[in-house]
Amino acid sequence: MHFHHHGYVSGDPRVQPVAGTGIDRPEELPDEMDVLIVGTGPAGMLTAAQMSQFPSVSTRIIERRPGRLEIGQADGIQARSVETFQSFGFAERIIAEAYTITEMAFWKPDPENPSNIVRAARTLDDAHGISEFPHLIVNQARVLDYFAEVMANAPTRMTPDYGYEFKDLQDTGEGEYPVKVTLVRTAGPDEGAERVVRTKYVVGSDGARSKVRSAIGCSLAGDQANHAWGVMDVLAESDFPDIRTKCAIQSGSGGSILLIPREGGHLFRMYVDLGEVPEGSHGSVRKTTIEQIIAKANEIVHPYTVEVRDVAWHSVYEVGHRLTDRFDDVVAEERGIRDPRVFITGDACHTHSAKAGQGMNVSMQDGFNLGWKLGHVLEGRSPAALLSSYSEERQVIAQNLIDFDKQWSSLMAKKPEDFENPSELEEFYVRTAEFPAGFMTEYEKSLLVAGPDHQDLATGFTIGKRFKSSPVVRLADGNPKQLGHLAQADGRWRIYVFADRAEAGADSATKEFAEWLTTAAESPLAATPEGADDDAWFDVKVVYQQDHTNIDINAVPDAFRPKVGPFKLTHLEKIFGAQEGDDIFEKRGLSRDGVVVVVRPDHYVANVLPLTATDELGAFFAPILAV
Amino acid sequence: MHFHHHGYVSGDPRVQPVAGTGIDRPEELPDEMDVLIVGTGPAGMLTAAQMSQFPSVSTRIIERRPGRLEIGQADGIQARSVETFQSFGFAERIIAEAYTITEMAFWKPDPENPSNIVRAARTLDDAHGISEFPHLIVNQARVLDYFAEVMANAPTRMTPDYGYEFKDLQDTGEGEYPVKVTLVRTAGPDEGAERVVRTKYVVGSDGARSKVRSAIGCSLAGDQANHAWGVMDVLAESDFPDIRTKCAIQSGSGGSILLIPREGGHLFRMYVDLGEVPEGSHGSVRKTTIEQIIAKANEIVHPYTVEVRDVAWHSVYEVGHRLTDRFDDVVAEERGIRDPRVFITGDACHTHSAKAGQGMNVSMQDGFNLGWKLGHVLEGRSPAALLSSYSEERQVIAQNLIDFDKQWSSLMAKKPEDFENPSELEEFYVRTAEFPAGFMTEYEKSLLVAGPDHQDLATGFTIGKRFKSSPVVRLADGNPKQLGHLAQADGRWRIYVFADRAEAGADSATKEFAEWLTTAAESPLAATPEGADDDAWFDVKVVYQQDHTNIDINAVPDAFRPKVGPFKLTHLEKIFGAQEGDDIFEKRGLSRDGVVVVVRPDHYVANVLPLTATDELGAFFAPILAV
Ligand SMILES: Cc1cc2nc3c(=O)[nH]c(=O)nc-3n(C[C@H](O)[C@H](O)[C@H](O)COP(=O)(O)OP(=O)(O)OC[C@H]3O[C@@H](n4cnc5c(N)ncnc54)[C@H](O)[C@@H]3O)c2cc1C
Ligand SMILES: Cc1cc2nc3c(=O)[nH]c(=O)nc-3n(C[C@H](O)[C@H](O)[C@H](O)COP(=O)(O)OP(=O)(O)OC[C@H]3O[C@@H](n4cnc5c(N)ncnc54)[C@H](O)[C@@H]3O)c2cc1C
């Protein structure tokens, strides 16, 4: 954590100094704002938490409900989400209260007595060590709480505006706040009253029945039918041996359950498969009672029993794989001609089977992709053209996910006798683990992602994929650190300079590159506003090949020792040495001649370049910074 | 974290359900209370945080200051303290904001040019891997904040009563609340007003000038003179290469500095040695200005410079090694005849040189030792005789610490030319690391600590020393866990059963022991109140020698599967298997015939017994539970 550089902080350093729109922030929803986010689900809250880091931007997030979410909905948090939480500063806390999935068990009918189930397999959840972060299960409500805390502690002191329903919007194309949004009060003394506000941008994070989506003429397409699950979060007694292990259970009768142990040591969730139902049907499935769900669960787990003592939440959750063809308000004919004003994120633009546990996770990544772009455009760091990349990047990801999800769901639904080989299910699970863990996202070449020209200089940092952390040792204090974990969700670009063989300070490509960074007019750092901290827009770090005891801190170029805060203090925590026995150069396939890795504020690798490619780096950033 | 067993918890699970004295807790200091703690320093706040876990006990903590501590005072947090924080639930958070000491550097006069200093050595702070917890530096104020949060989230919803100064006390020996305490209001509209309250027990945590100490006729004895340090917490620019590493710096002129980098990346503390001063002197040292401290620091670090840009705090901190001969109100002649009513903890009974960074740490361990004893006595779990053990146990520890501290301080003060060998200082530092890390405490045989009769059954769990954690795997969910970290500061005794070779459920010594635990009248568990959770007073855990996939959860004896909460749910998280490759039985020298390890609520090993020694275990607990 970086603090005290604006003067001594006596209290919780997580509470940032109030600034910009956070000073005198109106408690009530004002008539005008830069960004209006609709819906406080995971997609909306992450976007809001990210926007809250841009003090000059006024962002409001409205929610139809009168207050915070209390219960239910999604609970699976993949490693990529935990990694994201880490950058928002609450990973360690949510890990401490969540259930951690270490293993998954597969139960099948006993071949000798198919009316009983037996454990057929047990697999490690992350057998390949894909991530240093765990796979968690925790109530969606807590995820939202943590984002709310991030917002409240941000310079902008944001809080959600509960009790407002989005009704419609109209892009007037006029004035500073061109989008006219009609809201309805759903709580408080003026319940039912209409209210019109004006904004520059709208983010529709209003879930599967999104009205923002309709307002921009999009619709979800995909499955004809929904799949229905009887979902229950219960406290129960059970002799089922794996009651606190994530399980896929298939009974001889064809029934199936996904068992998800929950936080706290007792609660668990069961998804009991209720089969396909036509969309919009008002059939019998909807009327499935909790007693029926419990009875069905008991049938499936025979010879074991589940004796429910308390029902925390239950629902018949119906969902199909569906997707819109665009995630913003720019129709195909207008693409490239005008920039978007309205975006949809999360369930508003894609829905998924509950089984792969993707909904909440991919929704948050939508928000992470969009948030910083809005911030940069509104702060005048970048042109509005940046905003088109949101739909372009995320629509493909959602499609890939649905493809994967379908495969997984149909495998899960297969009758045991239909499998080609008896362990097809668990083999698929292990083989494709990078996907559900959230690390398969790979953005294509674009304004924000370079081509693979120099990929061979850093084979472990795939351009377009998220920057995978690796340990290094911090020079200033000899502390071992995960390099990636130092990248906070503060909206900054990162430039990682992996030095060449030379010693710090010796004449070398590294030194020349550093010199260029701080002095050249073409350097992206030249865009940093006058008077701001040297690292306000670009967080530049250097990793030397030497171990930290062999680097002379006073010889390190100034580019890696920026001045920060009103006292113009030198920030000494940007210089690293390789970790003995776990060398990042080897682990990530980094060129010993040095390499520059450019990483976006949402953690994705944007570019990989040799130290000498300053022209190329300048050219990469020129259109991104051209305002 | 264990929750949901009283029903679904939607919000932060760290906020425990309100109970007992927390319901309708008077906001204003009431006239009567069970325990009055004087002073909100580390000693008092830890005691209060511990007491806050006993819902039936009314505890108040008063403080002379009008509000929370803002700045200054101690900052060194040894690993044992972080371990303690872990049990209070905030280790991960304070680690995230603190400075972590990985290395310590030693700077000495350059032999070739003694007017310059050079780095003579660099040592790992915990070269022997003494603890899995780090050694931290963080503002004392933040430690107090975290304890305040623990109290506020406890069932008792405690908050400190600021603005009350302790003046005097009198043990009337009469009534339910025999101790009459006179306070003076130091803040608010009635400032200066006297107030008399009555209490059962007083804990004087009121620092080095303790009035509670005087009130019980104790005084600090020890050094004739104080050692004075010019202390400053500053933001500065410096070319001293180790400005963010803990350093002991000795200059050619004989000046010396202890440099302590602080949290946040910029702030650091310097202790500039100002030499010995007669106690109570009002001499020139006191008048040392910040400019003089800065000038002296610059002299010492020559050829480097320290250019101070902002002073967060500075002080001339004078302290000597001093100690009282008892830590409670029972004079030698009365010992064994009556039980104590008034205790003193922390700086009130022992003071230390700043150099070894012990003050705050040992003070907190005083509180940890005393808190649960008060809770158990007041809740009627244990006889008042328990309370005498506080002074008996802690006075020795303080003496040992002072002995160590003196050695260390005089070494630090030695002129380079007086050392027998040039690396004497750093060798001493490394050799004695267990001491400053806080793990050398070893309580003697007493009512609460058994003799070493069966120590050979568990050579890694020394009787009288704190239970050193080791990894195990939890059966229910396959999660690798640090066994010791599951022991929360909830005031419960722990009984760890390390099973014999037999499988769970097979006829064995383990099974017989488990049977005895839950059924015998002599079992300590028999004391658990009717209607309480099975594990309300004793947290019993079992570790099998088998790996977790080879333990049948349904065959595990009931002693290890207690029922908890209103729904009488089975608590399944008390059963463990050995971790492959890191077997606790090998690591801690545990008998393969099984062994029982009894651990006190403050983490200290109280007894080690064979599985068959049920009589002995019953006899050990009989006097502790005899009320
Ligand atoms: C009842 C329910 C049960 C679910 N159960 C599961 C499950 O068991 N497993 C699983 O994996 N996933 C489940 N999901 C889906 C999962 O919660 C989503 O995939 C995930 O929350 C997507 O995040 P989001 O932010 O896009 O949308 P959501 O979390 O749906 O958030 C949308 C938010 O917008 C608000 N909103 C909607 N319309 C308006 C409006 N017009 N004006 C203002 N606010 C509005 C909603 O109240 C809501 O807070 C469930 C969803 C729901 C609604
Ligand atoms: C000004 C100062 C500077 C220090 N600097 C350092 C340092 O640089 N390095 C270091 O290692 N240690 C330092 N210490 C010592 C270190 O803070 C203590 O060792 C540690 O805090 C001991 O904890 P404690 O709880 O026993 O006492 P303290 O932290 O001293 O807490 C005692 C509390 O009791 C309150 N109090 C006192 N008298 C009364 C009364 N009559 N009624 C009500 N409340 C009362 C005080 O206001 C205080 O909050 C310093 C202490 C002080 C006071």
Side-chain angles (χ1 to χ4, degrees):
Chain A
M1 246 178 258
H2 184 224
F3 53 99
H4 285 332
H5 51 300
H6 291 101
Y8 192 78
V9 176
S10 166
D12 189 343
R14 291 162 188 88
V15 182
Q16 299 178 57
V18 64
T21 59
I23 303 164
D24 300 327
R25 180 177 191 272
E27 240 187 71
E28 286 301 313
L29 188 70
D31 292 332
E32 288 168 350
M33 65 221 57
D34 295 328
V35 180
L36 179 72
I37 302 170
V38 182
T40 60
M45 288 298 272
L46 190 145
T47 313
Q50 177 68 89
M51 296 307 302
S52 74
Q53 311 299 319
F54 293 92
S56 73
V57 179
S58 69
T59 306
R60 306 296 295 211
I61 175 166
I62 61 162
E63 166 60 52
R64 179 168 65 184
R65 277 194 320 268
R68 73 181 268 278
L69 179 70
E70 299 260 331
I71 217 158
Q73 305 200 12
D75 58 7
I77 316 276
Q78 35 174 245
R80 170 60 188 153
S81 295
V82 184
E83 185 175 84
T84 306
F85 298 164
Q86 196 277 328
S87 70
F88 279 97
F90 62 84
E92 79 271 15
R93 290 164 65 199
I94 204 163
I95 291 170
E97 72 179 84
Y99 174 90
T100 298
I101 305 179
T102 303
E103 296 179 346
M104 175 162 181
F106 294 83
W107 288 74
K108 297 197 176 138
D110 184 347
E112 273 146 47
N113 176 4
S115 76
N116 284 354
I117 54 166
V118 289
R119 191 194 290 114
R122 210 198 276 262
T123 60
L124 284 175
D125 188 68
D126 181 8
H128 303 311
I130 286 169
S131 176
E132 69 276 13
F133 290 102
H135 182 181
L136 303 180
I137 301 290
V138 71
N139 180 5
Q140 177 169 333
R142 292 296 295 148
V143 175
L144 304 182
D145 287 347
Y146 281 109
F147 279 121
E149 195 189 84
V150 171
M151 286 158 55
N153 288 344
T156 48
R157 298 289 188 272
M158 276 172 62
T159 52
D161 296 291
Y162 291 109
Y164 286 97
E165 181 167 36
F166 171 93
K167 206 179 150 197
D168 205 359
L169 66 77
Q170 194 197 340
D171 184 353
T172 67
E174 279 161 24
E176 207 187 339
Y177 302 95
V179 189
K180 215 176 91 183
V181 183
T182 309
L183 308 175
V184 179
R185 205 75 172 96
T186 55
D190 53 345
E191 198 182 317
E194 275 203 4
R195 171 90 193 273
V196 175
V197 298
R198 289 179 158 270
T199 179
K200 292 177 181 163
Y201 295 100
V202 173
V203 181
S205 314
D206 49 343
R209 297 206 174 76
S210 171
K211 286 192 182 152
V212 178
R213 183 181 64 220
S214 328
I216 59 168
C218 285
S219 58
L220 291 176
D223 288 353
Q224 293 302 307
N226 275 331
H227 202 103
W229 311 91
V231 196
M232 57 180 180
D233 288 343
V234 293
L235 297 168
E237 282 291 279
S238 178
D239 57 355
F240 178 64
D242 285 348
I243 197 73
R244 295 215 54 77
T245 301
K246 182 181 171 196
C247 291
I249 306 171
Q250 295 182 289
S251 78
S253 63
S256 86
I257 284 176
L258 187 67
L259 166 66
I260 313 276
R262 288 279 296 267
E263 63 277 12
H266 296 281
L267 193 77
F268 59 87
R269 170 172 289 194
M270 277 186 167
Y271 287 97
V272 180
D273 195 333
L274 301 178
E276 300 280 304
V277 284
E279 203 196 351
S281 85
H282 297 277
S284 55
V285 161
R286 282 277 178 84
K287 300 191 192 93
T288 310
T289 64
I290 180 68
E291 290 74 22
Q292 288 170 318
I293 298 172
I294 295 170
K296 181 116 194 206
N298 272 287
E299 261 173 49
I300 294 170
V301 300
H302 185 83
Y304 304 106
T305 59
V306 172
E307 187 208 321
V308 173
R309 301 254 166 111
D310 189 48
V311 179
W313 179 72
H314 75 107
S315 169
V316 174
Y317 177 52
E318 292 172 58
V319 73
H321 297 290
R322 295 194 187 86
L323 181 63
T324 63
D325 57 352
R326 56 184 161 88
F327 285 13
D328 63 29
D329 61 336
V330 180
V331 293
E333 308 81 73
E334 290 182 326
R335 213 152 269 289
I337 300 169
R338 74 170 185 91
D339 299 316
R341 286 267 168 209
V342 184
F343 308 87
I344 46 177
T345 66
D347 275 14
C349 33
H350 45 72
T351 59
H352 311 275
S353 148
K355 282 230 164 154
Q358 294 290 340
M360 167 155 60
N361 298 283
V362 66
S363 299
M364 290 193 286
Q365 294 304 317
D366 285 350
F368 207 24
N369 184 293
L370 178 60
W372 70 271
K373 294 174 183 173
L374 278 170
H376 284 207
V377 170
L378 281 161
E379 281 211 340
R381 301 192 197 185
S382 292
L386 215 66
L387 299 173
S388 299
S389 68
Y390 164 69
S391 181
E392 283 154 19
E393 291 186 333
R394 295 303 298 175
Q395 208 272 351
V396 181
I397 301 305
Q399 183 61 59
N400 294 348
L401 183 57
I402 285 176
D403 296 344
F404 169 79
D405 219 359
K406 282 196 167 170
Q407 255 185 296
W408 175 240
S409 302
S410 58
L411 263 182
M412 292 277 292
K414 243 184 182 174
K415 289 224 168 61
E417 54 271 26
D418 297 342
F419 280 112
E420 279 158 39
N421 83 61
S423 43
E424 194 177 334
L425 191 60
E426 51 273 23
E427 278 173 13
F428 180 85
Y429 183 81
V430 170
R431 195 174 62 240
T432 59
E434 199 183 342
F435 212 120
F439 297 115
M440 284 287 272
T441 298
E442 186 171 343
Y443 296 134
E444 285 166 25
K445 186 172 185 316
S446 72
L447 174 68
L448 292 169
V449 179
D453 308 10
H454 307 294
Q455 183 66 75
D456 57 311
L457 299 178
T459 53
F461 293 128
T462 309
I463 297 168
K465 292 185 86 168
R466 80 89 178 66
F467 183 83
K468 184 160 167 49
S469 188
S470 189
V472 289
V473 177
R474 192 156 62 193
L475 169 58
D477 55 14
N479 270 224
K481 287 281 164 191
Q482 278 281 0
L483 187 58
H485 300 195
L486 300 170
Q488 308 241 265
D490 52 16
R492 289 188 293 172
W493 284 91
R494 320 269 158 200
I495 298 177
Y496 295 97
V497 178
F498 296 96
D500 55 8
R501 293 177 189 83
E503 283 194 349
D507 285 332
S508 65
T510 306
K511 199 173 168 187
E512 278 170 40
F513 180 81
E515 180 83 11
W516 178 84
L517 261 188
T518 41
T519 59
E522 300 74 28
S523 162
L525 271 68
T528 309
E530 197 80 27
D533 287 354
D534 289 351
D535 65 351
W537 286 14
F538 293 89
D539 175 22
V540 181
K541 295 193 169 87
V542 66
V543 183
Y544 287 100
Q545 298 184 29
Q546 289 77 8
D547 100 48
H548 75 285
T549 63
N550 286 308
I551 305 168
D552 174 2
I553 201 165
N554 290 321
V556 172
D558 286 346
F560 313 127
R561 300 191 296 168
K563 305 283 183 205
V564 298
F567 307 110
K568 298 281 167 217
L569 300 172
T570 305
H571 195 333
L572 287 174
E573 303 198 330
K574 312 235 175 190
I575 312 156
F576 302 86
Q579 169 137 312
E580 239 191 275
D582 202 1
D583 185 336
I584 192 169
F585 284 81
E586 281 186 24
K587 211 163 166 180
R588 295 286 172 262
L590 305 178
S591 166
R592 296 281 171 187
D593 295 326
V595 54
V596 179
V597 178
V598 179
V599 178
R600 304 176 2 166
D602 56 2
H603 300 170
Y604 285 84
V605 177
N607 208 339
V608 168
L609 296 157
L611 289 166
T612 49
T614 47
D615 287 355
E616 216 176 311
L617 183 61
F620 174 76
F621 272 112
I624 297 173
L625 298 169
V627 283
Chain B
M1 247 177 255
H2 185 224
F3 53 99
H4 284 332
H5 52 300
H6 291 101
Y8 191 80
V9 176
S10 166
D12 190 341
R14 291 163 188 87
V15 182
Q16 300 179 57
V18 63
T21 58
I23 304 166
D24 301 325
R25 179 176 192 274
E27 240 187 70
E28 285 301 312
L29 188 71
D31 291 334
E32 287 169 351
M33 64 221 59
D34 294 329
V35 179
L36 179 72
I37 303 170
V38 182
T40 60
M45 287 299 271
L46 190 144
T47 313
Q50 178 69 87
M51 297 306 302
S52 74
Q53 310 301 318
F54 294 91
S56 73
V57 179
S58 69
T59 307
R60 306 296 296 212
I61 175 166
I62 61 164
E63 166 61 50
R64 177 167 67 181
R65 274 194 323 267
R68 73 182 268 279
L69 179 69
E70 299 259 332
I71 218 157
Q73 304 200 16
D75 58 7
I77 316 275
Q78 35 174 245
R80 170 60 189 152
S81 295
V82 184
E83 186 174 83
T84 305
F85 298 164
Q86 195 277 328
S87 70
F88 279 97
F90 63 84
E92 81 272 15
R93 289 164 66 198
I94 204 163
I95 292 170
E97 72 179 85
Y99 174 90
T100 298
I101 305 179
T102 304
E103 297 180 345
M104 175 159 181
F106 295 82
W107 288 73
K108 296 194 176 141
D110 183 348
E112 272 143 50
N113 176 3
S115 76
N116 285 353
I117 53 167
V118 289
R119 191 193 292 114
R122 210 197 276 261
T123 61
L124 283 177
D125 187 68
D126 181 8
H128 303 310
I130 285 169
S131 175
E132 69 277 13
F133 290 102
H135 182 181
L136 303 179
I137 302 291
V138 72
N139 181 3
Q140 177 169 334
R142 291 296 295 148
V143 175
L144 305 182
D145 287 346
Y146 280 109
F147 279 121
E149 195 190 84
V150 170
M151 288 159 54
N153 289 342
T156 47
R157 299 289 188 272
M158 277 172 60
T159 51
D161 296 291
Y162 290 110
Y164 286 98
E165 181 167 34
F166 171 94
K167 206 179 151 195
D168 206 358
L169 65 77
Q170 192 195 343
D171 185 353
T172 66
E174 279 161 24
E176 207 188 337
Y177 301 95
V179 189
K180 216 176 91 183
V181 183
T182 308
L183 308 175
V184 179
R185 205 74 173 97
T186 55
D190 52 344
E191 198 182 315
E194 274 204 5
R195 170 90 193 273
V196 175
V197 298
R198 287 179 159 271
T199 178
K200 292 177 182 164
Y201 295 101
V202 173
V203 181
S205 314
D206 50 343
R209 298 209 173 74
S210 172
K211 285 192 183 153
V212 178
R213 183 182 64 220
S214 328
I216 59 169
C218 284
S219 57
L220 291 176
D223 288 353
Q224 293 302 306
N226 276 332
H227 203 102
W229 311 93
V231 195
M232 58 179 178
D233 288 342
V234 293
L235 296 169
E237 282 291 280
S238 178
D239 57 355
F240 178 63
D242 285 347
I243 197 74
R244 296 217 52 79
T245 301
K246 183 180 170 196
C247 291
I249 307 170
Q250 296 182 290
S251 77
S253 65
S256 85
I257 284 177
L258 187 66
L259 166 65
I260 313 275
R262 287 279 296 268
E263 63 276 12
H266 297 280
L267 193 78
F268 59 85
R269 170 171 289 194
M270 276 187 167
Y271 287 97
V272 180
D273 195 335
L274 301 178
E276 300 280 304
V277 284
E279 203 194 352
S281 85
H282 298 275
S284 56
V285 160
R286 282 280 179 84
K287 298 192 194 94
T288 310
T289 62
I290 179 68
E291 290 74 23
Q292 288 169 318
I293 297 171
I294 295 170
K296 182 118 194 206
N298 272 287
E299 259 173 50
I300 294 169
V301 299
H302 185 83
Y304 305 105
T305 59
V306 173
E307 187 211 319
V308 173
R309 301 254 166 110
D310 190 48
V311 179
W313 178 71
H314 74 107
S315 170
V316 173
Y317 178 53
E318 292 173 58
V319 74
H321 297 290
R322 296 197 185 82
L323 180 64
T324 63
D325 58 351
R326 56 184 161 89
F327 285 13
D328 62 30
D329 60 337
V330 180
V331 294
E333 308 80 74
E334 289 183 326
R335 212 150 269 286
I337 299 169
R338 75 169 186 90
D339 300 315
R341 287 268 168 209
V342 184
F343 309 87
I344 45 177
T345 67
D347 274 15
C349 33
H350 44 73
T351 58
H352 311 276
S353 148
K355 282 232 164 154
Q358 293 292 339
M360 166 155 60
N361 298 282
V362 68
S363 299
M364 290 193 285
Q365 293 304 318
D366 286 349
F368 207 23
N369 183 292
L370 178 59
W372 70 272
K373 294 173 183 173
L374 279 170
H376 283 208
V377 169
L378 282 161
E379 281 211 340
R381 303 191 196 186
S382 291
L386 215 65
L387 298 173
S388 299
S389 67
Y390 164 70
S391 180
E392 283 154 19
E393 291 186 334
R394 294 303 298 176
Q395 207 272 350
V396 181
I397 301 304
Q399 183 61 60
N400 294 348
L401 183 57
I402 285 175
D403 296 344
F404 169 80
D405 220 359
K406 282 198 167 166
Q407 255 184 298
W408 175 238
S409 302
S410 58
L411 262 183
M412 291 277 291
K414 241 181 180 176
K415 289 223 170 59
E417 55 271 26
D418 297 342
F419 280 110
E420 279 157 40
N421 82 62
S423 43
E424 194 176 337
L425 191 59
E426 50 274 22
E427 278 173 14
F428 179 85
Y429 184 81
V430 170
R431 194 173 65 241
T432 59
E434 199 183 343
F435 212 119
F439 297 114
M440 283 288 271
T441 298
E442 184 169 346
Y443 295 134
E444 282 166 27
K445 187 172 184 311
S446 72
L447 174 68
L448 292 169
V449 179
D453 307 10
H454 307 293
Q455 183 66 73
D456 57 313
L457 300 178
T459 52
F461 293 126
T462 309
I463 298 168
K465 291 186 88 166
R466 79 89 177 67
F467 182 82
K468 183 161 167 49
S469 187
S470 190
V472 290
V473 177
R474 193 156 62 193
L475 170 58
D477 55 14
N479 270 223
K481 287 280 163 191
Q482 276 281 0
L483 187 58
H485 301 193
L486 300 170
Q488 306 241 265
D490 52 17
R492 288 189 292 173
W493 285 91
R494 321 266 158 203
I495 299 177
Y496 295 97
V497 179
F498 296 95
D500 56 7
R501 293 177 189 82
E503 283 194 351
D507 286 333
S508 65
T510 306
K511 199 175 168 186
E512 277 170 41
F513 179 79
E515 180 83 10
W516 177 85
L517 262 189
T518 41
T519 58
E522 299 76 27
S523 161
L525 271 67
T528 309
E530 198 80 25
D533 287 354
D534 289 351
D535 65 350
W537 284 14
F538 292 89
D539 175 22
V540 182
K541 294 194 170 83
V542 65
V543 184
Y544 288 101
Q545 298 184 29
Q546 290 76 9
D547 101 50
H548 76 286
T549 63
N550 286 307
I551 305 168
D552 174 4
I553 201 164
N554 289 321
V556 172
D558 286 347
F560 313 128
R561 299 190 297 169
K563 305 282 184 206
V564 297
F567 306 110
K568 298 282 168 216
L569 300 171
T570 305
H571 195 334
L572 287 174
E573 303 199 328
K574 311 236 176 187
I575 313 157
F576 303 85
Q579 168 137 313
E580 241 191 273
D582 202 1
D583 184 339
I584 191 169
F585 283 82
E586 281 187 24
K587 208 161 166 181
R588 294 286 171 262
L590 306 179
S591 166
R592 295 282 170 185
D593 295 326
V595 54
V596 179
V597 178
V598 180
V599 178
R600 305 176 1 167
D602 57 2
H603 302 170
Y604 284 84
V605 178
N607 209 339
V608 168
L609 295 159
L611 288 167
T612 49
T614 49
D615 287 355
E616 215 174 310
L617 182 61
F620 174 76
F621 272 112
I624 296 173
L625 299 169
V627 283

